[in-house]
Each structure stands twice: as structure tokens, then as C-alpha cells.
Amino acid sequence: MNSETYIIRGDKSLIYPGKPLDIDTRKKRLYHYTSFNSFVKIWLTKTLKFGNIMDMNDIFESNFSSQCHSIKDMEYMNLYHEEKKHYKQISLTMDYDSFIQGCMSPMMWGQYADKAKGVCIEFDYNKLMQHIEPKMLHNVVSYVSILPEPPKITQAEVMDFDSFFMKNRKNFFFTKHNSWSHENEYRIVSKKEFLKIDDAITAIYITKCSSYECECIEKLLEGNNEIFFLCVYQDFMPNVGTYYNICDVKQRKKSYFHDESRKML
């Protein structure tokens, strides 16, 4: 297939493969992968929970280091470690390119959405930013082959950790090793426990239409005409291989049950 191959997805004609997007376009929609049970909590409380940095699956983040050359340095280092533990984060995925939306990553579905049995929540960037409080940090994550040098902590830093972390926020919170670049992450950092998300959800994605979870989400969405309920499912194209397609859940269920009925004939 060449770059002029068109694929019809919903009511859009998309060119395969996708073309690069500028950063403002990539982050217009942000996506959060989670389990079904966590989605229900998010939906009912209209909040996202910040995750403890010590629980991250990136070993460089969960085992952060600092330079230490003396006993005094060790005391400062321990204070730095304790301070950094207070910061928590929410990870969101951006659109990848003009063909692959942030909800279409097979790796993200498998790793963060309960092996594709969970949910991907889509947020409108501008509406989500309305809930960002002054002391919360947020930015696109940069991916590098060599991580920045660990900081040297002195008494000056210990006396004013807030300024120190603000000055070094790019290295501390928004730079990761490029082995994680597939996450295409937009991150929100805070010392708080929860982020409000009222009216910021624009779509909910699942992969299993024939499921108890799908039926539950349909019940939760009853009477809500502002949020799209969509299915991301595997499809196949000659010379391309397996890729993800997107359509309305009702449309997908109708097609699915029609195919199942035909198999029974």
C-alpha cells in the first residue's frame, strides 16, 4: 500500500500511513487507559487519581537518584528523596499522527487497560486544563537516550525545595528514557490526590462490545448525548497487517451480532 491509500473510519477518510502532527494538534485530545473498575470510580466521582511516583513501572522514576559525596550530602539526599515522594502524577496519551489516535495503541491497551478488557477515556485538552490548579505542573514528556545527570543537593536546595523543584521540573518530571516513547505521554504533576475532570470527557473507548462491561457503560451513559461511546477493534488489510479501527458501539454490536447469527446458520 502507498501513502495515498484511503481508509474510511466512521465518517472520515484517513490516509495511511499517518502524517506527523505538530504538538498543539497532538495534545488537543488526551487519553487515559485504565481498568473497568477504575473507570467506574472515575466516572462516578468525576476525578482522576494522581499516582504515587514510587509505584511507577519506570525503574528510573521509582528509584530516583542524586549525587552524594559526603555524610552531609547523604542527609540532604535523603531529604530530597522524601520531598520528591510528595509529588504524584497522572499519565495521559496524545494522538500519535493523523492516522493513529491516542486510543489506538495496542501496547497501551495491553499494558494499562487490563489486557484490552478495560477502558480508554478521551479528554478535551482545553476543558481539562480548566481544572489545573496554580501549583500543578503539566507538560509533554520528552524522551532521550541519555537521562540528565542526577542533581547535587546542597543546603541551599534543602532550604527552598519548592523553588528547586520548579527550576528543575523539566528534568525531574517531564524527561524519560526513550524506551518509553511509545507512551507518547502528556503528564500532570501535583502534590494533591485528585484532579477534577467535570465536563472534560469527550469519548469512552472499549474493545469488547459483547461484554458485561459494555452493558454497564451503556447504562452509565443513558441520557448523555454529549459523550461518544466507541469501539476500538482489530481489523486486517492486505499488505498492511493488523491495525485498529474505530466505530460507534451500537454500530459495532449490530455488526458483531449479525456476523454471529450468520455463523449459526
Coordinates of all heavy atoms in Angstrom, one line a residue, residues 22-65:
D22 N 1.8 18.5 14.6 CA 2.5 19.4 15.5 C 2.0 19.2 16.9 O 0.9 18.6 17.1 CB 2.3 20.9 15.1 CG 0.9 21.3 15.1 OD1 0.2 21.2 16.2 OD2 0.4 21.8 14.1
I23 N 2.8 19.6 17.9 CA 2.5 19.3 19.3 C 1.1 19.8 19.7 O 0.4 19.1 20.5 CB 3.6 19.8 20.2 CG1 3.5 19.2 21.6 CG2 3.6 21.3 20.3 CD1 3.6 17.7 21.6
D24 N 0.7 21.0 19.3 CA -0.6 21.5 19.7 C -1.7 20.6 19.2 O -2.8 20.5 19.9 CB -0.8 22.9 19.2 CG 0.1 23.9 19.9 OD1 0.4 23.6 21.1 OD2 0.5 25.0 19.4
T25 N -1.6 20.1 18.0 CA -2.6 19.2 17.4 C -2.6 17.8 18.1 O -3.7 17.3 18.4 CB -2.4 19.0 15.9 OG1 -2.4 20.2 15.3 CG2 -3.5 18.1 15.3
R26 N -1.4 17.3 18.5 CA -1.3 16.0 19.1 C -2.0 16.0 20.5 O -2.5 15.0 20.9 CB 0.2 15.6 19.3 CG 0.8 15.1 18.0 CD 2.3 15.0 18.2 NE 2.7 14.1 19.3 CZ 3.8 14.1 19.9 NH1 4.7 15.0 19.6 NH2 4.0 13.3 20.9
K27 N -1.9 17.1 21.2 CA -2.5 17.2 22.5 C -3.9 17.7 22.6 O -4.4 17.9 23.8 CB -1.5 17.9 23.5 CG -1.5 19.4 23.2 CD -0.5 20.1 24.2 CE -0.6 21.6 24.0 NZ 0.4 22.3 24.9
K28 N -4.5 18.0 21.5 CA -5.9 18.5 21.6 C -6.8 17.5 22.3 O -7.8 17.9 23.0 CB -6.4 18.8 20.1 CG -6.0 20.1 19.6 CD -6.7 20.3 18.2 CE -6.3 21.7 17.6 NZ -6.9 21.9 16.3
R29 N -6.5 16.2 22.0 CA -7.3 15.2 22.7 C -6.3 14.4 23.5 O -5.2 14.0 23.1 CB -8.0 14.2 21.7 CG -9.0 14.9 20.9 CD -9.6 14.0 19.9 NE -8.7 13.6 18.8 CZ -9.0 13.1 17.7 NH1 -10.3 12.8 17.4 NH2 -8.1 12.8 16.8
L30 N -6.6 14.1 24.8 CA -5.7 13.3 25.7 C -6.5 12.1 26.1 O -7.7 12.1 26.4 CB -5.3 14.2 26.9 CG -4.5 15.4 26.6 CD1 -4.3 16.2 27.8 CD2 -3.2 15.1 25.9
Y31 N -5.8 11.0 26.3 CA -6.4 9.7 26.6 C -5.8 9.1 27.8 O -4.6 9.1 28.1 CB -6.2 8.7 25.4 CG -6.6 9.3 24.1 CD1 -5.8 10.2 23.3 CD2 -7.9 9.1 23.5 CE1 -6.1 10.7 22.1 CE2 -8.2 9.6 22.3 CZ -7.4 10.4 21.6 OH -7.7 11.0 20.4
H32 N -6.7 8.4 28.6 CA -6.3 7.8 29.8 C -6.8 6.3 29.8 O -8.0 6.1 29.8 CB -6.8 8.5 31.0 CG -6.4 7.9 32.4 ND1 -5.1 7.9 32.8 CD2 -7.1 7.3 33.3 CE1 -5.0 7.3 34.0 NE2 -6.2 6.9 34.3
Y33 N -5.8 5.4 29.8 CA -6.1 4.0 29.8 C -6.3 3.5 31.2 O -5.4 3.8 32.1 CB -5.0 3.2 29.1 CG -5.0 3.4 27.6 CD1 -4.3 4.4 27.1 CD2 -5.6 2.5 26.7 CE1 -4.2 4.6 25.7 CE2 -5.5 2.6 25.3 CZ -4.8 3.7 24.8 OH -4.7 3.9 23.5
T34 N -7.3 2.7 31.5 CA -7.5 2.2 32.9 C -8.3 0.9 32.8 O -8.9 0.5 31.8 CB -8.2 3.3 33.7 OG1 -8.2 2.9 35.1 CG2 -9.6 3.5 33.2
S35 N -8.5 0.3 34.0 CA -9.3 -0.9 34.1 C -10.8 -0.5 34.2 O -11.1 0.7 34.4 CB -9.0 -1.7 35.4 OG -9.3 -0.9 36.5
F36 N -11.7 -1.4 34.0 CA -13.1 -1.1 34.0 C -13.5 -0.6 35.4 O -14.2 0.4 35.6 CB -13.9 -2.3 33.7 CG -15.4 -2.1 33.9 CD1 -16.2 -1.3 33.1 CD2 -16.0 -2.7 35.0 CE1 -17.5 -1.1 33.3 CE2 -17.4 -2.5 35.3 CZ -18.1 -1.7 34.4
N37 N -13.0 -1.3 36.5 CA -13.4 -0.9 37.8 C -12.9 0.6 38.1 O -13.6 1.3 38.8 CB -12.8 -1.8 38.9 CG -13.5 -3.2 38.9 OD1 -14.6 -3.3 38.4 ND2 -12.9 -4.2 39.4
S38 N -11.7 0.9 37.7 CA -11.2 2.2 37.9 C -12.0 3.2 37.1 O -12.2 4.4 37.6 CB -9.7 2.3 37.5 OG -8.9 1.6 38.4
F39 N -12.4 2.9 35.9 CA -13.2 3.8 35.1 C -14.5 4.1 35.8 O -14.9 5.3 35.8 CB -13.6 3.1 33.8 CG -14.7 3.8 33.1 CD1 -14.6 5.1 32.5 CD2 -16.0 3.2 33.1 CE1 -15.7 5.7 31.9 CE2 -17.1 3.8 32.5 CZ -16.9 5.1 31.9
V40 N -15.1 3.1 36.4 CA -16.4 3.4 37.2 C -16.2 4.4 38.3 O -17.0 5.4 38.5 CB -17.0 2.1 37.7 CG1 -18.2 2.4 38.6 CG2 -17.4 1.2 36.6
K41 N -15.1 4.3 39.0 CA -14.7 5.2 40.1 C -14.5 6.6 39.5 O -15.0 7.6 40.0 CB -13.5 4.8 40.8 CG -13.7 3.5 41.6 CD -12.4 3.1 42.3 CE -12.6 1.7 43.0 NZ -11.3 1.3 43.6
I42 N -13.8 6.7 38.4 CA -13.5 8.0 37.7 C -14.8 8.6 37.3 O -15.1 9.8 37.4 CB -12.6 7.8 36.5 CG1 -11.2 7.4 37.0 CG2 -12.5 9.0 35.6 CD1 -10.3 6.9 35.9
W43 N -15.7 7.8 36.7 CA -17.0 8.3 36.1 C -17.9 8.8 37.2 O -18.5 9.9 37.1 CB -17.7 7.2 35.4 CG -19.0 7.6 34.8 CD1 -20.2 7.4 35.4 CD2 -19.2 8.4 33.6 NE1 -21.2 8.0 34.6 CE2 -20.6 8.6 33.5 CE3 -18.4 9.0 32.7 CZ2 -21.2 9.3 32.5 CZ3 -19.0 9.7 31.6 CH2 -20.4 9.9 31.6
L44 N -18.0 8.1 38.3 CA -18.9 8.5 39.4 C -18.4 9.6 40.2 O -19.2 10.5 40.7 CB -19.2 7.3 40.3 CG -19.9 6.1 39.7 CD1 -20.1 4.9 40.7 CD2 -21.3 6.5 39.2
T45 N -17.1 9.7 40.4 CA -16.5 10.8 41.2 C -16.1 12.0 40.4 O -15.9 13.1 41.0 CB -15.3 10.3 42.0 OG1 -14.2 10.0 41.1 CG2 -15.6 9.1 42.9
K46 N -16.1 11.9 39.1 CA -15.6 12.9 38.2 C -14.2 13.5 38.6 O -14.0 14.7 38.6 CB -16.6 14.1 38.1 CG -18.0 13.7 37.6 CD -17.9 13.3 36.1 CE -19.2 13.0 35.5 NZ -19.8 11.7 35.9
T47 N -13.4 12.5 38.9 CA -12.0 12.8 39.3 C -11.0 11.8 38.7 O -11.4 10.6 38.5 CB -11.8 12.9 40.8 OG1 -12.1 11.6 41.4 CG2 -12.6 14.0 41.4
L48 N -9.8 12.2 38.5 CA -8.7 11.3 38.2 C -7.8 11.3 39.4 O -7.5 12.3 40.0 CB -7.9 11.7 37.0 CG -8.5 11.5 35.6 CD1 -7.6 12.1 34.6 CD2 -8.6 10.0 35.3
K49 N -7.3 10.1 39.8 CA -6.4 10.0 41.0 C -5.0 10.1 40.5 O -4.5 9.4 39.6 CB -6.7 8.6 41.7 CG -6.0 8.5 43.1 CD -6.4 7.2 43.7 CE -5.9 7.2 45.2 NZ -4.5 7.4 45.4
F50 N -4.2 10.9 41.2 CA -2.8 11.0 41.0 C -2.1 9.8 41.5 O -2.4 9.3 42.6 CB -2.2 12.3 41.6 CG -2.5 13.5 40.9 CD1 -3.6 14.3 41.3 CD2 -1.7 14.0 39.9 CE1 -3.9 15.5 40.7 CE2 -2.0 15.2 39.2 CZ -3.1 15.9 39.6
G51 N -1.1 9.3 40.7 CA -0.4 8.0 41.1 C 0.9 8.4 41.8 O 1.6 9.3 41.4
N52 N 1.2 7.6 42.8 CA 2.5 7.8 43.6 C 3.7 7.5 42.7 O 3.7 6.5 42.0 CB 2.5 6.8 44.8 CG 3.6 7.2 45.8 OD1 4.7 7.4 45.4 ND2 3.2 7.2 47.0
I53 N 4.6 8.4 42.7 CA 5.8 8.2 41.8 C 6.6 7.0 42.1 O 7.2 6.4 41.3 CB 6.7 9.5 41.9 CG1 7.6 9.5 40.7 CG2 7.4 9.6 43.2 CD1 8.4 10.8 40.6
M54 N 6.5 6.5 43.4 CA 7.2 5.3 43.8 C 6.6 4.0 43.2 O 7.2 3.0 43.2 CB 7.3 5.2 45.3 CG 8.0 6.3 46.0 SD 9.8 6.4 45.4 CE 10.4 4.8 46.0
D55 N 5.4 4.1 42.7 CA 4.7 3.0 42.1 C 4.8 2.9 40.6 O 4.2 2.1 39.9 CB 3.2 3.0 42.5 CG 3.0 2.9 44.0 OD1 3.8 2.2 44.6 OD2 2.0 3.4 44.5
M56 N 5.6 3.8 40.0 CA 5.7 3.9 38.5 C 6.5 2.6 38.0 O 7.3 2.1 38.7 CB 6.4 5.1 38.1 CG 5.7 6.4 38.4 SD 4.1 6.6 37.6 CE 3.0 6.2 39.0
N57 N 6.1 2.2 36.8 CA 6.8 1.0 36.3 C 8.1 1.3 35.6 O 8.8 0.4 35.1 CB 5.9 0.2 35.3 CG 5.2 1.1 34.3 OD1 5.7 2.3 34.1 ND2 4.2 0.6 33.6
D58 N 8.4 2.6 35.5 CA 9.7 3.0 35.0 C 10.7 3.0 36.2 O 10.6 3.8 37.1 CB 9.6 4.5 34.4 CG 10.9 5.0 33.9 OD1 12.0 4.3 34.1 OD2 10.9 6.0 33.2
I59 N 11.7 2.1 36.1 CA 12.6 2.0 37.2 C 13.4 3.2 37.5 O 13.9 3.4 38.6 CB 13.6 0.8 37.0 CG1 14.4 1.0 35.7 CG2 12.8 -0.5 36.9 CD1 15.5 -0.1 35.5
F60 N 13.7 4.1 36.5 CA 14.4 5.3 36.7 C 13.6 6.3 37.5 O 14.1 7.1 38.3 CB 14.8 5.9 35.4 CG 15.8 5.1 34.6 CD1 15.5 4.6 33.4 CD2 17.0 4.8 35.1 CE1 16.3 3.8 32.7 CE2 17.9 4.0 34.4 CZ 17.6 3.5 33.2
E61 N 12.3 6.2 37.4 CA 11.4 7.1 38.2 C 11.2 6.6 39.6 O 11.1 7.4 40.6 CB 10.1 7.4 37.5 CG 10.2 8.2 36.2 CD 8.9 8.7 35.8 OE1 8.0 7.9 35.4 OE2 8.7 9.9 35.7
S62 N 11.0 5.3 39.7 CA 10.7 4.8 41.0 C 11.9 4.6 41.9 O 11.8 4.5 43.1 CB 10.0 3.4 40.9 OG 10.8 2.5 40.2
N63 N 13.1 4.7 41.3 CA 14.3 4.6 42.0 C 15.2 5.8 41.7 O 16.3 5.7 41.2 CB 15.1 3.3 41.7 CG 14.3 2.1 42.1 OD1 14.2 1.8 43.3 ND2 13.9 1.3 41.1
F64 N 14.7 7.0 41.9 CA 15.4 8.2 41.5 C 16.7 8.3 42.4 O 16.7 7.9 43.5 CB 14.5 9.4 41.7 CG 13.6 9.5 42.9 CD1 14.2 9.8 44.1 CD2 12.3 9.1 42.8 CE1 13.3 9.9 45.2 CE2 11.5 9.2 43.9 CZ 12.0 9.5 45.1
S65 N 17.7 9.0 41.8 CA 19.0 9.1 42.5 C 19.4 10.5 42.6 O 18.8 11.4 42.0 CB 20.0 8.3 41.7 OG 20.2 8.8 40.4

